[in-house]
Amino acid sequence: KAGVTQTPRYLIKTRGQQVTLSCSPISGHRSVSWYQQTPGQGLQFLFEYFSETQRNKGNFPGRFSGRQFSNSRSEMNVSTLELGDSALYLCASRNPGHSSYNSPLHFGNGTRLTVT
Amino acid sequence: EDQVTQSPEALRLQEGESSSLNCSYTVSGLRGLFWYRQDPGKGPEFLFTLYSAGEEKEKERLKATLTKKESFLHITAPKPEDSATYLCAVRILYSGGGADGLTFGKGTHLIIQP
């Protein structure tokens, strides 16, 4: 079974620009989450989507947004980029079942975003 | 505020030298504690889920345990390929019934020297 796929792997953008990152979850997984990883803050939750609806959102400004399509693929958008947005952005999928909140996340290898 | 703290931040061991990594948490409404392994340039790889105090899970040289306030990841006779950053995370059940995203610790960077 193919894992979580994220594209692109690396991205360099300039302050003020916007960026869109893409994620394809594991086949059959309907929930997709996004996390930001930086050396100082570690992994921080951005948001989670299930069946095209945002279920939960972390403590990030409105410049960070996402969406999920009917095939469960997801995109994350960051507008008006700031230097501090430089990070590894990780997408994860899971298959909510009976114990939906206990199902583990399976991560992709991330998109490394550098803002100059 | 809900918190997850991992210790030590870094650990260097000789091959075969067993040790334990700690993950302490101050949360209410715990809905699962998760252990992940992360290699450089890759996303975290799922290892274990623990749900209740007293629970234990094992996989090869790794064994995870859970109490009401902390979890341990025991590494027995480690090999160089066990070198990685080990992350723990908790999922919390909020009063409204929804569970928020995982809250991660900063991780323990483990190096196993041959």
Side-chain angles (χ1 to χ4, degrees), chain A residues 60-82:
Chain A
F60 278 81
R63 299 186 297 108
F64 292 82
S65 63
R67 59 178 176 168
Q68 187 181 30
F69 302 96
S70 58
N71 60 359
S72 295
R73 195 176 65 84
S74 177
E75 288 182 346
M76 190 192 98
N77 186 77
V78 188
S79 62
T80 320
L81 284 166
E82 301 177 0

Side-chain angles (χ1 to χ4, degrees), chain B residues 43-58:
Chain B
E45 175 189 348
F46 170 70
L47 293 173
F48 303 110
T49 308
L50 301 166
Y51 300 116
S52 56
E55 189 173 2
E56 298 182 352
K57 294 272 181 75
E58 281 190 72

Side-chain angles (χ1 to χ4, degrees), chain B residues 23-38:
Chain B
C23 171
S24 63
Y25 58 93
T26 53
V27 302
S28 56
L30 182 71
R31 267 297 180 261
L33 184 141
F34 302 81
W35 280 98
Y36 286 85
R37 167 195 171 128
Q38 187 173 24

Side-chain angles (χ1 to χ4, degrees), chain A residues 9 35 37 39-43 45 48 56-58 88 90 94 101-110, chain B residues 31-32 34 36 38 41-46 49 51 87 91 93 97-106:
Chain A
R9 283 285 278 138
Y35 287 78
Q37 187 174 31
Q41 298 299 318
L43 271 149
F45 172 67
E48 179 180 18
N56 297 297
K57 190 177 191 302
L88 180 67
L90 291 160
R94 66 190 182 99
Y101 297 123
N102 294 340
S103 53
L105 294 177
H106 298 276
F107 285 87
N109 286 330
Chain B
R31 267 297 180 261
F34 302 81
Y36 286 85
Q38 187 173 24
K42 294 195 172 183
E45 175 189 348
F46 170 70
T49 308
Y51 300 116
L87 299 161
R91 184 180 290 272
L93 182 64
D100 214 321
L102 295 183
T103 298
F104 278 85
K106 296 282 179 71

